[in-house]
């Protein structure tokens, strides 16, 4: 087994921090390297400890999860941010995803879902929940924004549409009759053209700029 996944837990409720710490520490491949009670503490903690993943509450005093995420993602070796929220349609969640968070979970998620989510984002993947993301975008996105970046090829558009549907690289490869490495290549080009950090941010950009039609 390689090095454990280093995780920082950020929430203004001590009981939630304690519960997450105990849950994650019970896994042999995960190590909680610190806790913070607000966004300001979170930025300082990440600068010191360099965790791979930050489990981030969105509504906190001093500095909320959106602003904290923005600051964290400017750091060298920036962590992956996994947002935790009480309500899936919270405007704070949408803001955090636009800022570059790799995904979100409801605080009522079960233990297996939380552990899987941490492992997923640590691997550089993203948590894309198609229906939830469409709902967030439909209720929060400004309709007048249009895409002005480099044009996507037809195949890149096909791949991005599949990503927005929540498909993995293997599933996309099967659906489009491509090799998995070819899908990865297309995905890298899509991220570069959109200026997106990961798949989640790419889907948010695609919906909010009309690259992918939003079914309301």
């Amino acid at each position: 087994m390689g090095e454990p996944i280093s995780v920082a837990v950020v929430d203004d409720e001590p009981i939630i921090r304690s519960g997450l710490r105990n849950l994650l520490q019970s896994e042999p491949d995960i190590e909680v390297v610190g806790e913070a009670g607000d966004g300001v503490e979170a930025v300082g903690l990440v600068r010191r400890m360099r965790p791979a993943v930050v489990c981030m509450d969105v509504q906190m005093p001093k500095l909320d999860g959106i602003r904290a995420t923005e600051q964290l993602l400017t750091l060298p070796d920036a962590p992956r941010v996994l947002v935790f929220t009480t309500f899936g349609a919270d405007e704070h969640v949408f803001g955090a995803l636009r800022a570059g968070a790799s995904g979100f979970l409801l605080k009522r998620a079960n233990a297996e879902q939380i552990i899987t989510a941490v492992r997923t984002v640590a691997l550089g993947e993203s948590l894309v929940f198609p229906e939830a993301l469409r709902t967030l975008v439909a209720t929060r996105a400004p309709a007048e924004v249009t895409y002005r970046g480099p044009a996507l090829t037809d195949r890149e558009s096909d791949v991005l549409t599949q990503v927005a549907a929540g498909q993995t690289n293997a599933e996309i490869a099967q659906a489009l009759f491509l090799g998995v490495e070819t899908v990865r290549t297309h995905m890298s080009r899509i991220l570069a053209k959109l200026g997106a950090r990961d798949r989640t941010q790419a889907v948010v950009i695609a919906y909010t700029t009309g690259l992918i039609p939003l079914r309301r």
Side-chain angles (χ1 to χ4, degrees):
M1 183 179 295
E3 290 293 316
I5 301 166
S6 55
V7 178
V9 175
V10 182
D11 197 291
D12 62 340
E13 294 289 341
I15 191 168
I16 293 178
R17 294 201 306 271
S18 177
L20 272 175
R21 171 187 279 275
N22 291 338
L23 170 64
L24 296 173
Q25 283 286 159
S26 69
E27 297 299 309
D29 61 331
I30 298 175
E31 178 186 10
V32 177
V33 297
E35 300 177 18
D38 60 59
V40 174
E41 289 182 7
V43 174
L45 173 62
V46 171
R47 288 182 183 276
R48 293 193 308 274
M49 302 305 297
R50 302 293 187 191
V53 177
V54 176
C55 295
M56 177 81 76
D57 186 20
V58 287
Q59 299 188 54
M60 297 181 294
K62 297 184 181 179
L63 187 70
D64 66 26
I66 302 172
R67 303 284 87 80
T69 296
E70 290 175 342
Q71 292 189 26
L72 292 182
L73 297 183
T74 66
L75 298 176
D77 300 320
R80 297 281 172 173
V81 177
L82 179 60
V83 171
F84 282 77
T85 181
T86 304
F87 304 105
D90 193 326
E91 64 182 10
H92 293 84
V93 174
F94 181 64
L97 293 176
R98 294 196 75 175
S102 293
F104 71 94
L105 281 180
L106 296 178
K107 289 186 177 181
R108 63 175 180 268
N110 62 40
E112 182 179 356
Q113 290 171 327
I114 293 171
I115 292 165
T116 298
V118 168
R119 288 173 177 153
T120 298
V121 299
L123 289 172
E125 297 293 336
S126 303
L127 297 176
V128 179
F129 301 99
E131 293 303 326
L133 195 48
R134 279 196 293 271
T135 298
L136 280 172
V137 174
T139 56
R140 306 295 176 187
E144 70 275 8
V145 175
T146 56
Y147 178 70
R148 301 185 185 279
L152 301 185
T153 66
D154 290 343
R155 184 55 84 190
E156 288 166 353
S157 295
D158 292 341
V159 170
L160 183 56
T161 299
Q162 292 286 321
V163 171
Q167 302 300 301
T168 65
N169 285 348
E171 290 168 337
I172 296 170
Q174 183 175 20
L176 300 181
F177 304 101
L178 300 171
V180 173
E181 286 302 320
T182 301
V183 173
R184 291 195 182 104
T185 298
H186 284 309
M187 197 65 234
S188 294
R189 291 172 179 164
I190 291 167
L191 295 179
K193 288 182 176 182
L194 270 57
R197 184 168 186 260
D198 58 24
R199 297 160 78 97
T200 301
Q201 196 175 32
V203 173
V204 171
I205 292 170
Y207 277 140
T208 56
T209 61
L211 275 176
I212 296 177
L214 184 63
R215 300 195 304 273
R216 296 176 184 270

